[in-house]
Amino acid sequence: MDKNFSARRRRDLIIAAVLAVIAALVPLFVKDVYVQNIMILTLMYAALSQSWNILSGYCGQISLGHALYFGLGAYTTSLLFMKFGVLPWFGMIAGGLISALIAMALGYPCFRLGGHYFAIATIVIAEIALLLIQNWDWAGAALGIDIPVRGDSWLKFQFTRSKLPYFYFALVLACVAWFVTWWLEDSKWGFWWRAVKDNPQAAESLGVDVFNSKMGAAAVSAFLVAVGGSFYAQFVSYIDPESVMGFQFSLLMALPAVLGGIGTLWGPALGAVILIPLTELTRSYIGGSGRGVDLIVYGSLIILISLALPRGLVSLFSSRKGAAR
Amino acid sequence: MTAETIIQSLASGLLMGLLYGLIAVGLALIFGLMDVVNFAHGEFLMIAMYATFFLFAFFAIDPLLAAPLVAAALFVFGALIYLLIVRFAMRAKANAGMVQIFATFGLAIVMRGLAQLFFTPDYRSVTHSWLGGKTVSVAGIFLPEPQLVGALVSIAAFAGLYFFINRTDFGRALEATREDPGAVALVGIDKNRVFALGWGLGAALVGLSGAIMAVFFYIYPDVGASFALIAYVTVALGGFGSVFGAFAGGIVVGLVEATTALVLPPSLKSVGIYAVYLLVVFIRPRGLFGSM
């Protein structure tokens, strides 16, 4: 690629590093637990959306069932910890690997489906998993799992006195998801994905391994989302099937990327930084009156932004031509 | 499990399936016309159910009489939604698919919020309707009247839609616009008007389903979600865009659901539908009646 491209990539990396350092310093000044909670959720959604964006944004396979991988991460970690005493760190890796394997196994039949058929198949598969887990007594069925508190340490990944460790983990997770995207963007995979998204037939004829590149995107995407699920389970210490594996969650995960800019490096993070605080604030300030008004505000914003800025909010910042890479 | 229980559940499955078909056909029509999936379809059903409920509660209009009124109201609503939102979503050059999904998904959230605000999250139901709670016995099989009438309405609506699409000028305009939205402009057909009427028609059909379902289903702001997913599966099973496919898909979905309920616990009855859907699209990626 030309010099501009590598210069831009270097600049992206520097900006990300500066932002990460600033974010890491914020909790030193902001002690309010409510605000810290919103920041943790924002970072988590940035990480999830960034991961979703790898398969759906870069590779163009719109998944509306990513809650499946989030739920798998959350459940694997929690069940291993609760039933066998396995440390969440190992559960996290196990959940990630299981999710990546399942994503590839599902990719085998699903990647033959085009457009809306693919999207609906992803919803249906996540819904089947949801129904099965709701009926699985050993895993807590519909009631879910209360994760037992066994201490306050990094080893057990449980913190009862302060939310800060969760904040720093979420920050690292968001940075990792961003960095993986940054790194893949300029790799063979990244170029393949964009080719597959734009025109699979043309890509195939030019020697791109369309099927395997979709599989790769699905595996990376599912692994990272599952790690997010593991984190979430430890963070809230209570999970139930509907809240971690429901269709709503699949959409919530996709929204930041869609609003920020689908298939872009900065879109998911930008979308999360705007959307998540907004969601939380509308919920707590005007959500009291029967939960109706916050939904109306939130839904209207989604309509307006998707109609007014189809390329997402990043398009406001990138005036240079060809920036929508 | 006796032969009678099996026939009994297949019969109820068939009735329910025809109703699923009716819910799905509007979705199929809109998709076939303009390649847009309406992610607020379930919420259209939800407001149709509320409209039926309020006509009953305030004016004592029986759901059976209310059905045409509700369908007409939904027609206007659907056409307006096209003109106010979907028309603009279709203009998006970048990420067109995502813009449509999220514009209609945003609409779904707004509609659910409005329902919670104005109608509260309480469960409501239509009591003492003409059909409610009665059953008919045919050759030893008991069929609930609301579902039976729903199935008949569904068949009539399909027949009407078929006639409308194939035998009227507007139907021909619809078909022509579907095939080549650019060329129809040359012969003086206003694409936006055709699409708006298509949305109106699709919404009217789901309005009809809502009026019938209000008789035997609880009405609450989130009621649309579960039926919407069944409707997407029905449409995809039949083949996106095929109105006939939605009809056939509905019947398959109803029968599969009833069969699943015979062998699995009730909470798992949808698993059968989803599994059959996956099986069909893995073998035929365009659904049963979708064109390749």
Side-chain angles (χ1 to χ4, degrees):
Chain A
M1 283 309 247
D2 58 293
K3 230 196 269 163
N4 278 336
F5 181 72
S6 49
R8 192 163 71 210
R9 279 180 59 76
R10 211 174 313 122
R11 203 196 56 199
D12 280 340
L13 196 59
I14 294 168
I15 294 175
V18 171
L19 287 177
V21 171
I22 294 172
L25 295 176
V26 169
L28 300 180
F29 306 100
V30 182
K31 305 280 185 198
D32 186 79
V33 176
Y34 173 73
V35 178
Q36 286 185 352
N37 207 40
I38 293 180
M39 294 193 299
I40 294 169
L41 287 175
T42 303
L43 289 167
M44 184 187 83
Y45 274 101
L48 293 174
S49 210
Q50 193 96 44
S51 318
W52 174 86
N53 195 36
I54 290 174
L55 178 64
S56 299
Y58 282 90
C59 194
Q61 308 301 302
I62 295 171
S63 163
L64 296 176
H66 255 46
L68 169 65
Y69 307 119
F70 188 79
L72 277 173
Y75 267 94
T76 307
T77 311
S78 310
L79 287 171
L80 283 175
F81 183 62
M82 196 174 80
K83 307 273 181 181
F84 307 108
V86 177
L87 290 177
W89 295 101
F90 297 109
M92 199 174 270
I93 307 285
L97 291 176
I98 290 172
S99 288
L101 282 176
I102 288 183
M104 286 166 79
L106 293 174
Y108 211 77
C110 286
F111 285 141
R112 293 172 51 230
L113 303 174
H116 293 289
Y117 289 87
F118 178 82
I120 291 186
T122 60
I123 302 176
V124 162
I125 290 168
E127 206 66 19
I128 292 178
L130 172 67
L131 285 170
L132 292 178
I133 211 147
Q134 275 175 339
N135 284 275
W136 190 17
D137 290 331
W138 187 75
L143 285 177
I145 300 178
D146 246 320
I147 294 145
V149 177
R150 299 259 163 81
D152 189 322
S153 68
W154 277 102
L155 183 69
K156 299 223 161 80
F157 203 79
Q158 288 189 328
F159 311 99
T160 49
R161 285 190 292 271
S162 157
K163 280 183 186 286
L164 279 188
Y166 291 119
F167 173 86
Y168 286 110
F169 184 86
L171 179 61
V172 169
L173 190 62
C175 289
V176 168
W178 184 91
F179 184 76
V180 167
T181 310
W182 178 86
W183 177 55
L184 287 171
E185 208 179 46
D186 191 33
S187 71
K188 179 183 79 180
W189 289 102
F191 290 99
W192 280 11
W193 289 338
R194 287 189 290 271
V196 169
K197 179 186 182 179
D198 291 341
N199 190 338
Q201 276 91 21
E204 188 92 66
S205 73
L206 292 170
V208 170
D209 191 339
V210 171
F211 182 76
N212 278 334
S213 72
K214 288 179 183 175
M215 285 293 228
V220 175
S221 182
F223 185 94
L224 289 170
V225 168
V227 172
S230 296
F231 162 76
Y232 180 77
Q234 294 299 114
F235 172 52
V236 298
S237 75
Y238 167 74
I239 54 169
D240 70 287
E242 187 62 46
S243 66
V244 297
M245 232 183 233
F247 176 54
Q248 293 297 325
F249 199 83
S250 293
L251 286 165
L252 289 179
M253 199 182 307
L255 274 178
V258 173
L259 296 187
I262 192 172
T264 63
L265 180 60
W266 290 100
L270 181 65
V273 164
I274 290 169
L275 193 70
I276 305 307
L278 193 81
T279 312
E280 296 301 316
L281 293 174
T282 48
R283 185 177 295 160
S284 48
Y285 286 106
I286 48 178
S289 55
R291 269 195 5 96
V293 182
D294 59 325
L295 291 178
I296 297 166
V297 172
Y298 185 57
S300 308
L301 276 168
I302 294 172
I303 300 176
L304 282 177
I305 296 180
S306 61
L307 292 184
L309 295 168
R311 283 177 199 279
L313 294 163
V314 282
S315 64
L316 292 176
F317 296 91
S318 53
S319 51
R320 48 190 144 76
K321 57 178 187 259
R325 56 187 157 98
Chain B
M1 196 187 308
T2 61
E4 243 165 66
T5 34
I6 296 174
I7 296 171
Q8 175 70 56
S9 11
L10 288 180
S12 346
L14 181 68
L15 295 187
M16 211 46 217
L18 284 164
L19 200 57
Y20 287 153
L22 185 58
I23 299 174
V25 71
L27 203 61
L29 183 76
I30 290 168
F31 185 90
L33 193 61
M34 49 207 277
D35 214 27
V36 170
V37 174
N38 176 16
F39 273 83
H41 196 68
E43 282 61 35
F44 281 36
L45 183 75
M46 179 264 296
I47 58 159
M49 290 172 79
Y50 270 111
T52 313
F53 171 79
F54 286 117
L55 283 174
F56 177 81
F58 292 144
F59 306 106
I61 300 176
D62 190 88
L64 212 52
L65 291 180
L69 298 176
V70 173
L74 263 283
F75 181 93
V76 175
F77 180 74
L80 279 177
I81 291 299
Y82 171 77
L83 292 171
L84 295 176
I85 295 175
V86 183
R87 183 158 59 116
F88 300 102
M90 287 182 71
R91 283 190 195 155
K93 291 199 176 57
N95 303 320
M98 288 313 282
V99 171
Q100 290 158 11
I101 289 176
F102 282 94
T104 52
F105 172 65
L107 174 67
I109 296 183
V110 172
M111 287 174 71
R112 241 181 272 171
L114 288 170
Q116 283 191 359
L117 186 66
F118 289 113
F119 310 145
T120 74
D122 294 345
Y123 280 53
R124 299 170 192 278
S125 60
V126 173
T127 47
H128 325 296
S129 68
W130 293 345
L131 300 169
K134 293 177 200 149
T135 52
V136 186
S137 156
V138 183
I141 312 251
F142 292 96
L143 302 173
E145 267 184 28
Q147 277 95 326
L148 189 64
V149 170
L152 294 176
V153 169
S154 167
I155 293 170
F158 275 113
L161 187 67
Y162 184 85
F163 174 80
F164 186 74
I165 291 177
N166 291 297
R167 294 278 185 277
T168 65
D169 279 346
F170 177 67
R172 277 188 276 269
L174 213 64
E175 186 62 26
T177 310
R178 187 175 87 102
E179 276 174 19
D180 194 340
V184 292
L186 298 175
V187 294
I189 295 174
D190 180 355
K191 188 184 77 180
N192 273 327
R193 227 178 99 184
V194 172
F195 283 166
L197 289 170
W199 267 78
L201 202 56
L205 288 162
V206 78
L208 213 51
S209 337
I212 292 158
M213 286 196 30
V215 181
F216 58 94
F217 227 88
Y218 283 110
I219 303 156
Y220 52 99
D222 289 347
V223 68
S226 52
F227 288 102
L229 187 57
I230 293 181
Y232 300 135
V233 169
T234 304
V235 171
L237 190 67
F240 268 113
S242 165
V243 167
F244 178 72
F247 188 60
I251 294 174
V252 173
V253 164
L255 291 176
V256 169
E257 189 184 57
T259 319
T260 318
L262 285 173
V263 288
L264 290 179
S267 53
L268 282 172
K269 69 175 182 179
S270 311
V271 168
I273 305 175
Y274 301 150
V276 167
Y277 161 76
L278 291 177
L279 198 68
V280 168
V281 293
F282 290 161
I283 297 167
R284 266 187 69 87
R286 291 272 158 186
L288 292 172
F289 298 96
S291 48
M292 294 302 281

